[in-house]
């Protein structure tokens, strides 16, 4: 049996007619950049997320960069974040000229360890950027309680977490600003790059809107130095068709995760994801820890099971961030996670036979290892 890590074709088959009709409508209009389709999608996203303002942008990376720019973060400033995340989190900070300051992760959720943040705060700290990794929110109460008295902005990197909840609040509504990605592999994925920025602050929203279009308002009058962060109408059209299905896709992923949790309970060497009781996880990835990972990985690949390592090198050890001066051992939990974890197929369309095959193969591989 072959089980891919992600099967986008299976999902597309269920909505193909609606997607192609929406795309055809965009071509008929010849309105490809921004416009009414993007505005309608922004309105629907704001309603789904539960935020007053949502702004469609060109990618999840640009969502982070735009948020930092709108908050005036730049050279001489520091932004606290996690070393165990996709490159864009810290890369966007560095691109503004600010300095990424890393704080180690919790060993069970893989999110930034809020208990360690306070010691990293300095007079130069202008923002904290928690990552809601793999679809589970970070400890936002602890983070906001540190940030608010100090007038430190909180930028939620919710690239993997649209629809995830912390207590009764959805990701992207708790901090100063929320940033989302619509990369095709996300739970809500487009037909290319796309992203979203959310905020409850009307003044910040106006600044985000202006910066999205080269700092221009009105046309050809530039008050700020912005960028080209616009969302294509084709992407908005595809995403708007997918959005009403998102909650049912979340629930299917959660059912698949529950199956894995129960299947792996008999094998104590497989450490399954921990979900805090006050959080609703959407399982953008299902990540387990295993002993002798390379041997286990080889066995899964030989069995034609799609797997991935998120992330093999934590950011503080990436060559491009060597100027920050971090060394191996500085963030031991991030380094352990990078060395021990594997992501398994979790997409909604997995069949029962595929799930059993993945579980049985992994259990056998771990026991052999």
């Amino acid at each position: 049996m072959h089980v891919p890590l992600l099967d986008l074709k299976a999902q597309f088959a269920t909505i193909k007619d609606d997607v192609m009709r929406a795309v055809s409508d965009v071509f008929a209009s010849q309105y490809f950049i921004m416009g009414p389709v993007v505005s309608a999608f922004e309105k629907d996203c704001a309603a789904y997320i539960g935020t007053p303002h949502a702004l469609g942008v060109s990618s999840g990376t640009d969502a982070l960069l735009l948020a930092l720019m709108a908050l005036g973060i730049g050279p001489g400033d520091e932004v606290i974040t996690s070393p165990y995340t996709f490159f864009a989190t810290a890369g966007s900070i560095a691109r503004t000229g600010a300095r990424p300051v890393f704080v180690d992760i919790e060993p069970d959720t893989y999110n930034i360890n809020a208990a360690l943040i306070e010691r990293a705060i300095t007079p130069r700290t202008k923002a904290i950027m928690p990552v809601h990794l793999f679809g589970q929110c970070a400890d936002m109460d602890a983070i906001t309680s540190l940030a608010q008295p100090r007038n430190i902005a909180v930028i939620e990197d919710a690239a993997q977490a649209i629809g995830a909840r912390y207590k009764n609040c959805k990701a992207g509504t708790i901090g100063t600003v929320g940033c989302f990605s619509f990369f095709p592999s996300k739970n809500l994925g487009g037909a290319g790059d796309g992203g979203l920025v959310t905020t409850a602050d009307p003044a910040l929203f106006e600044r985000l809107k202006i910066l999205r279009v080269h700092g221009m308002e009105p046309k050809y009058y530039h008050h700020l130095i912005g960028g080209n962060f616009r969302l294509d109408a084709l992407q908005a059209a595809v995403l708007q068709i997918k959005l009403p299905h998102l909650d049912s896709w979340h629930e299917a992923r959660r059912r698949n995760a529950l199956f894995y949790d129960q299947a792996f309970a008999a094998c104590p060497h497989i450490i399954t994801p921990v979900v805090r009781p006050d959080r609703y996880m959407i399982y953008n990835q299902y990540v387990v820890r295993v002993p002798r990972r390379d041997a286990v990985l080889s066995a899964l690949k030989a069995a034609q099971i799609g797997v991935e390592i998120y992330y093999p090198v934590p950011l503080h050890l990436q060559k491009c961030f060597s100027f920050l001066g971090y060394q191996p051992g500085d963030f031991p939990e991030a380094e352990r996670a990078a060395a021990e974890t594997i992501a398994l197929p979790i997409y909604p369309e997995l069949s029962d036979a595929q799930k059993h095959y993945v579980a049985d193969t992994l259990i056998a591989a771990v026991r052999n290892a």
Side-chain angles (χ1 to χ4, degrees):
M1 183 180 292
H2 171 62
V3 186
L5 180 66
L6 179 64
D7 187 355
L8 292 175
K9 292 179 181 179
Q11 182 190 87
F12 179 60
T14 67
I15 55 173
K16 178 179 178 180
D17 291 345
D18 291 337
V19 169
M20 298 312 294
R21 190 179 304 113
V23 169
S24 179
D25 288 346
V26 172
F27 273 98
S29 75
Q30 289 292 292
Y31 206 140
F32 294 110
I33 306 293
M34 305 285 286
V37 175
V38 171
S39 295
F41 173 64
E42 291 171 336
K43 183 179 178 181
D44 290 348
C45 272
Y48 175 79
I49 293 169
T51 182
H53 307 292
L55 192 76
V57 296
S58 40
S59 70
T61 301
D62 286 342
L64 294 168
L65 181 59
L66 179 59
L68 289 158
M69 291 171 63
L71 291 166
I73 292 170
D77 296 333
E78 295 177 350
V79 179
I80 295 171
T81 193
S82 166
Y84 187 64
T85 177
F86 181 61
F87 171 81
T89 306
S92 61
I93 297 167
R95 285 174 63 188
T96 69
R99 182 182 181 86
V101 174
F102 296 125
V103 167
D104 210 356
I105 60 171
E106 297 173 334
D108 50 1
T109 69
Y110 308 110
N111 280 325
I112 191 169
N113 189 335
L116 304 178
I117 290 176
E118 187 169 15
R119 69 187 68 172
I121 295 174
T122 75
R124 293 189 173 192
T125 304
K126 293 298 186 293
I128 302 170
M129 188 182 286
V131 184
H132 303 320
L133 201 67
F134 305 146
Q136 178 172 201
C137 290
D139 187 353
M140 292 304 295
D141 279 353
I143 292 167
T144 56
S145 69
L146 290 170
Q148 288 175 352
R150 297 172 170 86
N151 199 30
I152 295 172
V154 176
I155 303 170
E156 294 180 67
D157 183 342
Q160 301 178 4
I162 186 167
R165 293 195 297 269
Y166 177 83
K167 298 183 177 178
N168 294 319
C169 299
K170 282 189 176 177
T173 67
I174 308 164
T176 314
V177 62
C179 300
F180 299 85
S181 169
F182 300 129
F183 188 79
S185 64
K186 299 296 190 290
N187 289 29
L188 181 63
D193 269 321
L196 191 80
V197 182
T198 57
T199 184
D201 183 334
L204 180 60
F205 180 63
E206 290 304 314
R207 187 174 174 86
L208 288 162
K209 283 201 299 183
I210 293 171
L211 286 168
R212 175 174 65 172
V213 289
H214 297 289
M216 182 171 60
E217 179 60 39
K219 193 173 183 179
Y220 300 131
Y221 290 81
H222 300 265
H223 304 275
L224 303 166
I225 298 175
N228 178 6
F229 301 128
R230 301 171 298 196
L231 179 64
D232 292 342
L234 284 168
Q235 297 303 332
V238 171
L239 291 163
Q240 195 165 27
I241 295 299
K242 287 187 167 187
L243 184 60
H245 300 275
L246 185 57
D247 283 341
S248 65
W249 291 339
H250 287 337
E251 282 302 307
R253 286 173 177 266
R254 287 167 58 82
R255 287 193 297 271
N256 292 341
L258 179 61
F259 170 85
Y260 283 148
D261 288 345
Q262 293 172 342
F264 299 144
C267 186
H269 296 296
I270 301 173
I271 308 301
T272 54
V274 171
V275 181
R276 297 281 188 259
D278 58 356
R279 289 162 224 188
Y280 177 91
M281 184 173 182
I282 63 165
Y283 291 98
N284 188 226
Q285 288 91 15
Y286 183 91
V287 174
V288 297
R289 287 183 190 263
V290 295
R292 297 193 62 197
R293 184 181 65 186
D294 290 348
V296 173
L297 201 61
S298 296
L300 292 171
K301 289 180 178 179
Q304 298 190 68
I305 293 173
V307 290
E308 185 62 87
I309 299 173
Y310 298 96
Y311 298 92
V313 181
L315 295 183
H316 67 288
L317 299 181
Q318 295 283 357
K319 183 177 180 180
C320 66
F321 289 128
S322 60
F323 71 94
L324 296 173
Y326 293 114
Q327 300 296 323
D330 283 348
F331 306 106
E333 293 300 344
E335 292 171 34
R336 281 186 58 229
E340 297 175 359
T341 58
I342 296 176
L344 303 177
I346 192 67
Y347 57 91
E349 297 80 14
L350 277 173
S351 69
D352 288 344
Q354 286 176 315
K355 287 184 288 188
H356 280 281
Y357 181 64
V358 171
D360 293 344
T361 305
L362 177 60
I363 290 168
V366 169
R367 286 175 175 165
N368 289 337

